[in-house]
Amino acid sequence: MPSIDHLADRLSTYLGKDQVNLVRRAYFYAEQAHDGQRRRSGEAYVTHPLAVANILADMHMDHQSLMAAMLHDVIEDTGIAKEALCAQFGETVAELVDGVSKLTQMNFETKAEAQAENFQKMAMAMARDIRVILVKLADRLHNMRTLEVLSGEKRRRIAKETLEIYAPIANRLGMHNVRIEFEDLGFKAMYPMRSERIFQAVKRARGNRKELVTKIEQSLAHCLAVDGIEGDVSGRQKHLYGIYKKMRGKRRAFTEIMDVYAFRIVVDKVDTCYRVLGAVHNLYKPLPGRFKDYIAIPKANGYQSLHTTLFGMHGVPIEIQIRTREMEEMANNGIAAHWLYKSSDDEQPKGTHARARQWVKGVLEMQQRAGNSLEFIESVKIDLFPDEVYVFTPKGRIMELPKGSTAVDFAYAVHTDVGNSCIACRINRRLAPLSEPLQSGSTVEIVSAPGARPNPAWLNFVVTGKARTHIRHALKLQRRSESVSLGERLLNKVLNGFESSLDKIPHERVLLMLGEYRLEHIDDLLEDIGLGNRMAYVVARRLLATEGEQLPNPEGPLAIRGTEGLVLSYAKCCTPIPGDPIVGHLSAGKGMVVHLENCRNISEIRHNPEKCIQLSWAKDVTGEFNVELRVELEHQRGLIALLASSVNAADGNIEKISMDERDGRISVVQLVVSVHDRIHLARVIKKLRALAGVIRITRMRA
Ligand code: MN
């Protein structure tokens, strides 16, 4: 019976004196708390937490994990509150104990439930502190080792849960040794007869094969020695549950499985692994198609090794695993190997979580190099880091983004230029909205177009600071360059009216003006004009002032192309379309607003050259323009459908439709239609007019 003194001795090989004393204190606390309680076997209850702590000591876990192991059943079984533990042993230990208790309280009743809900809860616990899981696994391991004393039903329930929940978790964390023990103990408890039969059969087979095993082992060792390679050759035994699963899953006969002779060769470094592979392939012929390089392409949980199968003497198949000592350690202990090697300098939970993270990152990197990380990401990483999503670039690179990130965030994470020129995206090869939140494991491809620009609407859904900053910056630049170019055109137009232009104005004159306005660069002035903060007419007059002429009103309108962007907008009151006579109203901060010449809203300022400017439509004007039509017609069934199809027939688009008045016989319908220009509008109206019962069509203006 191991005692606390015995454990303390073991701990002092890798923990400091103070830390060992803390573990001792936790032990005595637990002993007192569980006083009077006994295990089913009759032993004092405290022997169980002590045994759990011993298991964790095998893994060289830190003192906080060991303290939590000592106290892991205290909340659950003795009614001592978490707060009390917190006061006694600090918050970290109390949190660990609380986490383990919560896992213990979970009922994995049915398989479906266990898979869905409980896995998630467990994952949440993992995310907070991976040590909770390790303590829980150790707790379960000791319970499995002492399962015999329980009643049949309870035994089976625990065994089933172990096989379905805890063995897979151990596997996910790469803890091979723990997984194998879970499986064999679980198998034995669930199917005692089958387990016993396989056990006996293995024992018999082993006896028969002893001689051959020794022979093969010797010939392998000799082969290494000849090549001057140092390595440990050992025979490998398959575990019972593994054999059972193979018999069931692959429908193999027992003899078929047992006829394979399995060996492991452990060497010092990766390079040697491949040399050993060459050597053994030289010794016996390899079986085609059976060689697997898990060193270059590690398994999902980080497992690394070379696997090959050889035709041995008399044609017996020999399975060989070749790996380094480090890989062996990782293969056996997985995430726990970390504590085995690292000194426990950092006692903070952050430190250990960071180590767990590091382990995960390490495995992730291995997977990445192998170009096959999907499975791993899906299984472990999402659980460990619920606040992050992991997506792939089309080339298989992994991008880590905050939860809720969209394709636009992704695009900016790849490169600023990709973000700025992004127009659409494919998620898992399908076109998807740019605003869709990304899911881990998806492959995201950005469709970009040269000359494309960020959309202000993106600011409503991007999550990352990087995307936000770059979108804002790009919009600002865009607005500035558009304003500058509009300002230049406006100013030149006025100057042209005086038979001058910006190029013709002497440079000193311009500098003088900038000085007057306290501006640094001519672009600043042009931007101001473009934005409507300064009137081109006034600026032009000042520029030309030295000439001392009386300045007439400039003639000839400025042509609008429809591509001016953010600094030019169309008035909502009169909705001008190409072909309409128009004027531009310069309004401070908004840039130029295009109105119909006879729009009532500007009638008072129309002839003020400092506020309004004569405009015309350029020949190559492009875009869709909305106009509002009022249609009076006799009421009839399905008239909206009729109107819609007429507009459609003239290649128009209905943007909005509403029915205003109805006095029984006459209906009044308001239509907002988008058209290219007046000619197009005329075509639309002609089509509408052709409808039976239409009385009057009016284009609405303010
Ligand atoms: Mn327990």
Side-chain angles (χ1 to χ4, degrees):
M1 176 72 7
S3 65
I4 179 63
D5 291 332
H6 176 248
L7 175 65
D9 281 350
R10 293 184 57 206
L11 293 182
S12 56
T13 60
Y14 73 94
L15 290 181
K17 207 171 170 197
D18 293 349
Q19 298 175 332
V20 176
N21 280 336
L22 283 169
V23 177
R24 262 181 196 279
R25 246 183 68 205
Y27 169 82
F28 290 118
Y29 188 95
E31 189 179 44
Q32 209 165 34
H34 290 291
D35 188 33
Q37 294 178 348
R38 306 216 155 257
R39 297 211 90 207
R40 194 63 66 89
S41 59
E43 296 164 295
Y45 194 88
V46 76
T47 55
H48 165 63
L50 182 60
V52 174
N54 264 294
I55 292 171
L56 293 172
D58 294 340
M59 302 177 191
H60 286 203
M61 292 293 293
D62 57 24
H63 70 287
Q64 289 174 325
S65 307
L66 287 150
M67 289 164 76
M70 290 299 185
L71 302 163
H72 80 269
D73 280 330
V74 163
I75 293 181
E76 174 83 357
D77 291 350
T78 74
I80 287 172
K82 179 182 161 192
E83 289 68 35
L85 290 184
C86 188
Q88 276 289 327
F89 300 104
E91 201 176 327
T92 308
V93 173
E95 283 294 339
L96 288 173
V97 174
D98 191 47
V100 177
S101 303
K102 284 193 176 123
L103 287 182
T104 308
Q105 284 162 9
M106 267 179 225
N107 274 323
F108 301 94
E109 284 301 340
T110 70
K111 193 171 178 177
E113 252 176 41
Q115 300 269 315
E117 198 177 358
N118 296 321
F119 253 100
Q120 285 165 19
K121 285 182 191 161
M122 179 164 289
M124 269 151 55
M126 278 169 92
R128 254 173 292 155
D129 196 328
I130 190 74
R131 292 177 296 179
V132 168
I133 299 287
L134 296 175
V135 174
K136 183 66 202 169
L137 290 178
D139 172 38
R140 178 50 59 109
L141 192 56
H142 183 243
N143 285 336
M144 288 300 290
R145 284 176 184 170
T146 53
L147 206 56
E148 304 265 305
V149 295
L150 294 182
S151 68
E153 195 199 334
K154 201 167 178 198
R155 192 159 61 205
R156 264 193 304 280
R157 186 180 67 74
I158 293 178
K160 186 164 184 271
E161 191 180 284
T162 302
L163 288 177
E164 286 177 359
I165 308 289
Y166 291 103
I169 286 178
N171 187 35
R172 290 213 283 178
L173 298 176
M175 301 167 73
H176 178 79
N177 287 349
V178 173
R179 191 198 106 206
I180 295 302
E181 200 173 343
F182 275 156
E183 289 190 345
D184 277 351
L185 291 170
F187 179 45
K188 195 171 158 197
M190 286 288 282
Y191 309 105
M193 304 284 277
R194 293 175 218 188
S195 155
E196 181 60 23
R197 239 180 295 141
I198 293 181
F199 174 71
Q200 291 302 339
V202 168
K203 214 166 111 185
R204 240 175 295 129
R206 209 165 277 154
N208 300 339
R209 294 156 24 123
K210 216 170 180 178
E211 205 180 320
L212 191 50
V213 168
T214 315
K215 246 184 178 171
I216 297 172
E217 206 174 310
Q218 281 168 352
S219 76
L220 287 171
H222 178 71
C223 154
L224 297 192
V226 166
D227 279 17
I229 303 169
E230 273 189 45
D232 295 335
V233 181
S234 56
R236 212 156 43 77
Q237 286 164 17
K238 293 209 165 76
H239 73 300
L240 301 185
Y241 190 60
I243 296 171
Y244 173 67
K245 272 200 296 195
K246 253 196 189 143
M247 287 169 70
R248 265 182 39 151
K250 297 195 176 166
R251 301 201 160 273
R252 297 258 180 82
F254 176 75
T255 48
E256 215 180 319
I257 296 165
M258 285 310 288
D259 273 350
V260 177
Y261 292 73
F263 293 86
R264 180 172 304 148
I265 303 174
V266 178
V267 297
D268 55 349
K269 52 186 203 280
V270 174
D271 183 54
T272 318
C273 293
Y274 291 100
R275 278 174 63 210
V276 170
L277 181 76
V280 297
H281 278 187
N282 211 10
L283 178 66
Y284 297 121
K285 213 173 135 180
L287 202 68
R290 292 297 297 273
F291 168 64
K292 290 209 177 70
D293 187 347
Y294 291 120
I295 290 180
I297 304 174
K299 281 194 184 175
N301 59 10
Y303 174 87
Q304 286 188 293
S305 199
L306 296 177
H307 288 190
T308 188
T309 306
L310 312 168
F311 284 118
M313 53 273 259
H314 320 301
V316 294
I318 305 172
E319 270 178 19
I320 300 198
Q321 298 176 345
I322 307 163
R323 56 177 78 148
T324 64
R325 246 169 273 288
E326 208 187 328
M327 290 172 193
E328 167 88 344
E329 201 48 65
M330 280 299 287
N332 288 335
N333 298 304
I335 196 163
H338 231 73
W339 278 275
L340 263 174
Y341 279 123
K342 301 277 155 64
S343 67
S344 51
D345 310 331
D346 42 352
E347 294 153 26
Q348 299 308 308
K350 251 169 116 188
T352 44
H353 190 67
R355 285 206 300 235
R357 256 186 106 108
Q358 206 188 339
W359 176 81
V360 171
K361 279 232 154 92
V363 176
L364 186 69
E365 270 163 31
M366 279 197 291
Q367 296 284 322
Q368 236 170 299
R369 264 183 261 128
N372 155 42
S373 41
L374 186 66
E375 188 194 350
F376 180 72
I377 288 195
E378 281 183 346
S379 61
V380 179
K381 192 139 194 197
I382 297 164
D383 297 350
L384 272 174
F385 311 114
D387 297 333
E388 289 154 20
V389 293
Y390 298 86
V391 294
F392 295 98
T393 67
K395 283 188 180 158
R397 189 153 73 97
I398 291 160
M399 305 294 294
E400 180 184 316
L401 295 165
K403 195 178 175 180
S405 288
T406 62
V408 174
D409 292 295
F410 171 87
Y412 278 101
V414 171
H415 196 280
T416 309
D417 292 344
V418 176
N420 283 338
S421 60
C422 145
I423 52 168
C425 73
R426 289 196 187 87
I427 297 176
N428 296 327
R429 292 163 177 268
R430 291 204 180 153
L431 277 172
L434 283 173
S435 59
E436 189 173 300
L438 300 175
Q439 304 292 325
S440 280
S442 306
T443 299
V444 184
E445 186 188 344
I446 295 298
V447 182
S448 56
R453 289 160 172 181
N455 184 333
W458 293 352
L459 289 171
N460 296 329
F461 56 73
V462 293
V463 168
T464 52
K466 186 175 183 194
R468 190 166 294 279
T469 314
H470 285 298
I471 294 168
R472 286 226 176 94
H473 183 67
L475 286 173
K476 218 169 132 190
L477 279 183
Q478 179 189 343
R479 197 178 164 86
R480 177 170 167 92
S481 81
E482 283 168 358
S483 309
V484 167
S485 101
L486 178 68
E488 187 175 358
R489 283 168 64 206
L490 287 167
L491 184 61
N492 265 325
K493 201 196 77 64
V494 181
L495 289 171
N496 291 344
F498 302 121
E499 279 161 31
S500 178
S501 74
L502 204 49
D503 304 336
K504 290 186 196 153
I505 307 279
H507 191 57
E508 313 82 71
R509 182 73 214 139
V510 174
L511 286 179
L512 198 69
M513 265 261 315
L514 291 177
E516 271 178 48
Y517 287 135
R518 292 169 201 274
L519 295 172
E520 299 226 324
H521 195 269
I522 180 72
D523 281 356
D524 299 333
L525 179 66
L526 296 175
E527 184 185 8
D528 266 1
I529 297 172
L531 286 173
N533 296 335
R534 256 174 235 289
M535 298 308 140
Y537 184 78
V538 177
V539 175
R541 274 180 77 145
R542 287 205 164 192
L543 279 173
L544 297 168
T546 41
E547 265 87 319
E549 291 168 42
Q550 195 53 17
L551 300 166
N553 248 352
E555 279 170 343
L558 176 76
I560 294 299
R561 296 189 201 116
T563 52
E564 283 78 3
L566 297 173
V567 291
L568 190 135
S569 59
Y570 300 93
K572 298 234 162 55
C573 50
C574 52
T575 59
I577 62 171
D580 289 334
I582 45 173
V583 289
H585 172 217
L586 292 159
S587 94
K590 274 199 207 161
M592 191 154 69
V593 184
V594 181
H595 286 264
L596 285 182
E597 200 175 53
N598 54 4
C599 176
R600 252 179 263 153
N601 286 346
I602 54 154
S603 58
E604 283 180 13
I605 48 169
R606 189 150 61 90
H607 297 293
N608 181 345
E610 294 189 5
K611 294 203 165 157
C612 280
I613 182 163
Q614 207 63 35
L615 294 178
S616 71
W617 299 96
K619 279 203 178 101
D620 55 352
V621 64
T622 52
E624 300 257 293
F625 300 85
N626 287 348
V627 285
E628 194 175 337
L629 298 178
R630 183 173 184 271
V631 183
E632 285 173 61
L633 73 173
E634 282 171 27
H635 186 64
Q636 51 196 296
R637 286 168 63 96
L639 66 84
I640 287 185
L642 280 173
L643 291 172
S645 66
S646 303
V647 171
N648 229 337
D651 289 330
N653 255 332
I654 294 190
E655 302 289 329
K656 213 166 109 188
I657 191 162
S658 62
M659 194 115 79
D660 263 11
E661 308 159 22
R662 264 181 65 176
D663 58 2
R665 211 169 54 84
I666 306 293
S667 298
V668 176
V669 179
Q670 316 270 8
L671 288 175
V672 176
V673 181
S674 76
V675 293
H676 303 307
D677 51 24
R678 272 176 81 107
I679 298 166
H680 188 191
L681 176 64
R683 255 184 15 242
V684 171
I685 291 178
K686 196 172 158 198
K687 277 279 178 207
L688 288 172
R689 224 169 239 142
L691 281 176
V694 169
I695 300 159
R696 189 181 300 147
I697 301 175
T698 334
R699 178 173 168 198
M700 304 298 289
R701 303 150 205 243

